[in-house]
Amino acid sequence: MTEPTKILLDESELPTHWYNIIPDLPAPPPPVLHPGTLEPVGPDDLMPLFPIDLILQEVSPESYIEIPEEIREIYRLWRPSPMYRARRLERELDTPARIYYKYEGVSPAGSHKPNTAVAQAYYNAKAGIRKLTTETGAGQWGSALALACQMFGLECEVWQVAASFDQKPYRGSMMRAWGATIHSSPSEVTNAGRAILEQDPDSPGSLGIAISEAVEVAATNADTNYSLGSVLNHVLLHQTVIGQEAAAQLAKVGETPDIIIGCTGGGSNFSGLSFPFIREKLAGNINPTIRAVEPAACPSITKGEYRYDFGDTIGMTPLIKMHTLGHSFVPDPIHAGGLRYHGMSPLVSHLCELGLMEAVAIGQVECFEAAIRFARSEGIIPAPEPTHAIAAAMREADLCRESGEEKVVLIALCGHGHFDMGAYDTFLAGELSDYEFPAEAMGEALEKVPVVG
Amino acid sequence: MTEPTKILLDESELPTHWYNIIPDLPAPPPPVLHPGTLEPVGPDDLMPLFPIDLILQEVSPESYIEIPEEIREIYRLWRPSPMYRARRLERELDTPARIYYKYEGVSPAGSHKPNTAVAQAYYNAKAGIRKLTTETGAGQWGSALALACQMFGLECEVWQVAASFDQKPYRGSMMRAWGATIHSSPSEVTNAGRAILEQDPDSPGSLGIAISEAVEVAATNADTNYSLGSVLNHVLLHQTVIGQEAAAQLAKVGETPDIIIGCTGGGSNFSGLSFPFIREKLAGNINPTIRAVEPAACPSITKGEYRYDFGDTIGMTPLIKMHTLGHSFVPDPIHAGGLRYHGMSPLVSHLCELGLMEAVAIGQVECFEAAIRFARSEGIIPAPEPTHAIAAAMREADLCRESGEEKVVLIALCGHGHFDMGAYDTFLAGELSDYEFPAEAMGEALEKVPVVG
């Protein structure tokens, strides 16, 4: 029989639990601190924004948390997601490496984001919440939350950074198709937005401003909560369905990964794929290299400092110990909008410090070159974010060609690029360039980070 | 165990043959005629445009034609495609009907079109052809052919109707990502295009003009052939992988369809799903209703005449016996661009005449209302074309609610709407309207159809 191109799981093999890596780590991650008291943040501090079930997951000591059937029912609309053996890409690269990719673009929103959006909408609906608010940049997260809220009868209100709102109107169309309300941020509907617009009526907005608007509405309305698409422990937790499925899929074809590669912005896609494998690594069962790939224009792990900083750009959130370029650092406008975050998930940063993983930064020109080779051999046109993982995998495949090693390479292909075709146009027109990393600007931003501990 | 949401097939269950319905019909379809001699067209007439393997398939007396492994290798990048039980939609509609949809949006190009594009590219490459030309309207077909040509190392040159080229730029980006060259039609690179531009430098173009340009380049270059995305027998043939898979999928859950519904423009998606079931109907094994759904603005089967007419809008092609609104009829600019064709596949028309199927026409407002209900329950945002099938299925589900019948309804969901979000914007803004069918214009167009036989 021909060896399969796609490795599929039956719905009966959909994971029944999310995997919580924290209890398995040799040391717990540093606590999140209240910015006023510098004391660890407790559940009470989070209650105005999040439902109790998510707060408990954020600090859970359990290794496995059962996925409610109501969430699994929605997951089954696209999960288990397929894994592919990239045979045509291997031939194109003339490599002895065996390349697999786990594809999350099959979700209705086109990325891995609904894995947590559905869970967050469920627990908020269960807590009697009527509406969720959030911010979105390019729109992957906003559309995922719009989909999830629709599934559980919640209203969804999204503040999208004005520049993206204007440049990528069809992500907004998608959110509206699923019943969400979208505002270009800064908007006239919040105090935060109006204050910005008073100073600058043509403000292009920023994620920081959009967060302020979404949080303001959630904090001032009892029936409204706020929802975050990455960074937090419970978000990473929900994404672990990806890696659990991937492990089962590789086992079906008798493979053990030598290297696992995922792109990192906030860290949720990378964590979702890698954490279940890191569990096996901690148990001494396997020993894969775990590699995060960040954009050269926003290299929080490889160039930032590991210290307490604010999670948002204007300094409203609790203090998180993470790799940071400084909360006021503004990354260059690369096309991988989902990776333009000044910090890193504290859990991913903690794993780096523990030596359980490594990181590399790649410029966007190499990423788009890799993406075109991928699209022309495998068919799928990747979103700009996972092109970073693809580029890193191609580097590995090249090394295997030189060394003759038959490494098993597993890539997180976290979404398709159907709403990012403008970036491909720019690249194919020869107009895409790399940005020189502004080390001086990072230095200035780091000086503004509060000194803690 | 929970009943599955998705019914998946293993790659080992990918069909090994295409199904040719013609030998099973009680009467053969009327011949295609040379417009000059009015004699049946022979293989020699088609040689300047098509490779011999496709010409032989066009007139094959065999019921099953083996799918070469080279084509099956590409099919496996997305096939077998999933079938879904629309449980959430059933609940939303409060219907006892059991609704299934076969989803072709999982192909890299996002529709069923690659099923034939890959086959056509393969046979042309095998014949030593270097380049394929084609026309495209909204861009579904052009992007499918771009993908397929890339897979077999062929060049691909696409003429896209100028109005669509300007309004939907991202389909062109997709084609370029897969290495194709796109022209806005009318273009300066053909005699046909230049002649139009001389008269009207701002011409919005038409499918007829784009066909003329693509055919001109294919006919005047020995290493270049022309490729068509619907209407012809061999195109419908290649799509029958859809229905063969669907039959296997329904059998897995022990279901027999009571009604099979697909949208029709040229007829290939509808035929692909329904022909394998019609085979069983002809054999007396099952007796489903087979229903084509056409747009009320372009109702060739329900309002046209069954007679010989040209396949293109300017009268260059052979004469085909089909349901036609007149080759010079210009349909109103509905958003389902793939259904704006003045005629119907001659094979589908022939099946109508034989009483093996029926047709209904639905306006676009009802279709988009149905699409939004579908997207909000099932997640997937459908392309404008299959919203016609969804709307017809919802009518059926409503009848079942009234009658209490538990009918098994099978829908052809032939693609996603990621490149059609502007249409959703228009609908959600309350700005979408139906067009009154211009019966007088059809009458005038039919007067221009040559009288044959």
Side-chain angles (χ1 to χ4, degrees):
Chain A
M1 203 200 103
T2 321
E3 290 211 30
T5 301
K6 299 181 296 300
I7 304 147
L8 302 179
L9 297 179
D10 192 83
E11 286 180 12
S12 63
E13 298 169 281
L14 181 70
T16 55
H17 293 70
W18 294 300
Y19 168 59
N20 179 18
I21 199 171
I22 296 174
D24 286 338
L25 295 177
V32 172
L33 303 181
H34 190 287
T37 64
L38 297 187
E39 291 296 314
V41 161
D44 285 354
D45 297 304
L46 301 172
M47 288 294 284
L49 295 182
F50 302 107
I52 186 68
D53 283 326
L54 292 179
I55 294 170
L56 292 175
Q57 288 180 3
E58 190 67 18
V59 296
S60 172
E62 304 295 328
S63 290
Y64 286 94
I65 295 172
E66 191 169 5
I67 309 174
E69 173 54 26
E70 292 86 343
I71 294 173
R72 285 162 47 89
E73 185 203 320
I74 309 293
Y75 278 174
R76 282 194 289 267
L77 291 174
W78 71 92
R79 303 209 74 84
S81 70
M83 172 178 284
Y84 286 79
R85 168 80 184 271
R87 290 179 196 282
R88 296 178 55 85
L89 180 66
E90 291 169 19
R91 285 207 294 273
E92 158 75 14
L93 299 173
D94 188 25
T95 180
R98 297 198 293 283
I99 304 174
Y100 294 86
Y101 54 95
K102 176 72 170 163
Y103 185 41
E104 292 292 310
V106 293
S107 82
S111 80
H112 65 295
K113 293 287 184 187
N115 295 331
T116 185
V118 169
Q120 293 189 44
Y122 167 75
Y123 289 114
N124 275 288
K126 188 180 161 209
I129 289 298
R130 194 181 57 81
K131 188 204 284 192
L132 289 181
T133 66
T134 199
E135 73 288 343
T136 196
Q140 292 272 18
W141 169 241
S143 51
L145 194 66
L147 170 73
C149 284
Q150 179 64 45
M151 295 294 166
F152 290 105
L154 293 177
E155 284 184 39
C156 181
E157 199 165 357
V158 181
W159 279 263
Q160 183 170 25
V161 178
S164 296
F165 185 89
D166 295 335
Q167 280 166 18
K168 300 194 178 185
Y170 295 140
R171 272 278 167 200
S173 316
M174 194 174 214
M175 296 179 227
R176 279 187 291 273
W178 285 321
T181 303
I182 333 291
H183 306 284
S184 177
S185 170
S187 75
E188 290 285 357
V189 301
T190 65
N191 292 327
R194 283 187 295 267
I196 301 282
L197 288 174
E198 234 168 69
Q199 288 172 22
D200 177 6
D202 298 321
S203 165
S206 72
L207 268 180
I209 297 168
I211 291 173
S212 306
E213 297 201 86
V215 168
E216 177 185 320
V217 171
T220 54
N221 289 280
D223 62 357
T224 302
N225 268 349
Y226 170 71
S227 185
L228 200 66
S230 192
V231 178
L232 300 181
N233 295 346
H234 69 267
V235 179
L236 276 48
L237 172 80
H238 300 150
Q239 295 294 353
T240 58
V241 289
I242 302 174
Q244 292 181 72
E245 289 177 7
Q249 285 164 314
L250 282 184
K252 283 211 170 188
V253 290
E255 294 276 35
T256 305
D258 293 305
I259 177 161
I260 296 170
I261 303 175
C263 65
T264 45
S268 76
N269 148 65
F270 167 81
S271 304
L273 181 65
S274 66
F275 283 5
F277 289 97
I278 295 176
R279 178 186 186 281
E280 297 303 309
K281 187 172 177 163
L282 285 162
N285 299 327
I286 57 174
N287 193 24
T289 300
I290 311 286
R291 187 171 295 157
V293 191
E294 43 187 26
C298 194
S300 55
I301 304 177
T302 53
K303 296 227 169 145
E305 291 184 7
Y306 183 57
R307 55 188 287 195
Y308 275 98
D309 195 2
F310 294 107
D312 66 333
T313 56
I314 51 176
M316 290 203 326
T317 69
L319 289 163
I320 305 167
K321 192 154 187 189
M322 60 179 176
H323 291 87
T324 180
L325 302 164
H327 62 274
S328 61
F329 178 81
V330 179
D332 285 313
I334 55 169
H335 287 283
L339 307 185
R340 293 180 68 237
Y341 181 58
H342 70 273
M344 182 45 57
S345 157
L347 200 44
V348 171
S349 284
H350 182 56
L351 289 176
C352 288
E353 292 301 302
L354 292 172
L356 291 169
M357 53 168 286
E358 57 187 48
V360 62
I362 302 185
Q364 66 176 353
V365 171
E366 180 179 340
C367 292
F368 274 92
E369 283 166 357
I372 287 290
R373 290 184 83 178
F374 184 90
R376 290 182 181 178
S377 49
E378 294 293 316
I380 295 167
I381 298 178
E385 291 80 5
T387 66
H388 290 75
I390 293 169
M394 287 193 188
R395 287 185 181 182
E396 203 63 33
D398 285 347
L399 292 174
C400 286
R401 186 179 57 248
E402 288 160 23
S403 69
E405 280 179 290
E406 297 183 10
K407 279 193 185 173
V408 174
V409 180
L410 174 59
I411 311 174
L413 183 54
C414 60
H416 62 62
H418 299 172
F419 293 88
D420 306 282
M421 294 311 300
Y424 282 89
D425 282 341
T426 305
F427 173 73
L428 290 168
E431 292 164 6
L432 192 77
S433 55
D434 283 320
Y435 298 95
E436 196 164 339
F437 178 68
E440 204 171 309
M442 174 185 68
E444 285 168 21
L446 286 171
E447 276 174 27
K448 293 180 198 151
V449 175
V451 178
V452 174
Chain B
M1 202 198 105
T2 321
E3 291 209 31
T5 301
K6 299 181 297 300
I7 304 147
L8 302 178
L9 297 179
D10 193 81
E11 287 181 12
S12 63
E13 298 168 282
L14 181 70
T16 57
H17 293 71
W18 293 300
Y19 168 59
N20 178 20
I21 198 171
I22 297 175
D24 286 339
L25 295 177
V32 172
L33 303 180
H34 190 287
T37 63
L38 298 187
E39 291 297 313
V41 161
D44 284 356
D45 297 304
L46 301 171
M47 288 295 284
L49 295 182
F50 301 107
I52 186 67
D53 283 325
L54 292 179
I55 294 170
L56 292 175
Q57 287 180 5
E58 189 67 19
V59 296
S60 173
E62 303 295 327
S63 289
Y64 285 94
I65 294 172
E66 191 169 5
I67 309 174
E69 173 53 27
E70 292 87 342
I71 294 173
R72 285 162 48 87
E73 185 204 318
I74 309 295
Y75 278 175
R76 282 193 288 267
L77 292 175
W78 70 93
R79 304 210 71 85
S81 69
M83 172 179 283
Y84 285 79
R85 169 80 185 271
R87 289 179 197 283
R88 296 178 55 85
L89 180 65
E90 291 169 18
R91 284 207 295 273
E92 157 75 13
L93 298 174
D94 188 24
T95 179
R98 297 197 293 282
I99 303 174
Y100 293 86
Y101 53 96
K102 175 72 169 163
Y103 184 44
E104 292 294 307
V106 292
S107 83
S111 80
H112 66 295
K113 294 286 185 187
N115 295 330
T116 185
V118 168
Q120 293 189 45
Y122 167 76
Y123 288 115
N124 275 288
K126 188 181 161 207
I129 289 297
R130 195 181 57 80
K131 187 204 283 192
L132 290 181
T133 66
T134 200
E135 75 287 343
T136 197
Q140 292 272 18
W141 169 241
S143 51
L145 194 66
L147 169 73
C149 284
Q150 180 63 45
M151 295 294 165
F152 289 105
L154 294 177
E155 284 184 39
C156 181
E157 199 166 358
V158 181
W159 280 263
Q160 184 171 23
V161 177
S164 296
F165 185 89
D166 295 334
Q167 281 167 15
K168 298 193 178 185
Y170 295 139
R171 273 277 168 200
S173 317
M174 193 175 216
M175 296 181 226
R176 278 187 292 274
W178 286 321
T181 303
I182 332 290
H183 306 284
S184 176
S185 171
S187 76
E188 290 285 356
V189 301
T190 66
N191 291 328
R194 283 187 294 268
I196 300 281
L197 288 173
E198 236 168 68
Q199 289 172 22
D200 178 7
D202 298 321
S203 165
S206 71
L207 267 181
I209 297 168
I211 291 174
S212 306
E213 296 201 86
V215 168
E216 178 184 320
V217 171
T220 54
N221 290 280
D223 62 356
T224 302
N225 269 349
Y226 171 70
S227 188
L228 200 65
S230 191
V231 177
L232 300 181
N233 295 345
H234 69 268
V235 180
L236 276 48
L237 173 79
H238 300 149
Q239 295 294 354
T240 58
V241 290
I242 303 173
Q244 292 181 72
E245 289 176 7
Q249 286 162 315
L250 282 184
K252 282 211 171 188
V253 289
E255 293 277 33
T256 305
D258 293 304
I259 176 161
I260 297 170
I261 303 175
C263 64
T264 45
S268 76
N269 148 64
F270 168 80
S271 304
L273 181 65
S274 66
F275 282 6
F277 289 98
I278 295 177
R279 178 186 185 281
E280 297 304 309
K281 186 171 176 164
L282 285 162
N285 298 326
I286 56 174
N287 193 24
T289 300
I290 310 287
R291 186 172 296 157
V293 190
E294 43 188 25
C298 193
S300 55
I301 304 176
T302 51
K303 296 227 169 145
E305 290 185 7
Y306 183 56
R307 53 189 287 194
Y308 274 101
D309 195 2
F310 295 107
D312 66 332
T313 56
I314 52 176
M316 292 202 326
T317 69
L319 289 163
I320 304 166
K321 192 153 186 190
M322 60 180 177
H323 291 87
T324 180
L325 302 164
H327 62 275
S328 61
F329 178 81
V330 180
D332 285 312
I334 54 169
H335 286 282
L339 307 185
R340 292 180 67 237
Y341 181 58
H342 69 274
M344 182 44 56
S345 158
L347 200 44
V348 171
S349 284
H350 183 56
L351 289 176
C352 287
E353 291 302 304
L354 291 172
L356 291 169
M357 53 168 285
E358 58 186 48
V360 62
I362 302 185
Q364 67 177 352
V365 171
E366 181 179 340
C367 292
F368 274 91
E369 283 166 356
I372 287 290
R373 290 184 83 177
F374 185 90
R376 291 183 179 177
S377 49
E378 294 294 314
I380 295 168
I381 297 178
E385 291 81 4
T387 65
H388 291 75
I390 293 169
M394 287 193 189
R395 286 186 182 182
E396 203 63 32
D398 284 346
L399 290 174
C400 285
R401 187 181 56 248
E402 287 159 24
S403 69
E405 280 179 288
E406 295 183 12
K407 279 193 184 174
V408 175
V409 180
L410 174 58
I411 311 174
L413 183 54
C414 60
H416 62 62
H418 299 172
F419 293 87
D420 306 281
M421 295 309 300
Y424 281 90
D425 283 340
T426 305
F427 173 72
L428 291 168
E431 291 163 6
L432 192 77
S433 56
D434 283 319
Y435 297 95
E436 195 164 341
F437 179 67
E440 204 171 309
M442 174 184 70
E444 284 167 22
L446 285 172
E447 276 172 26
K448 292 180 197 152
V449 175
V451 178
V452 173

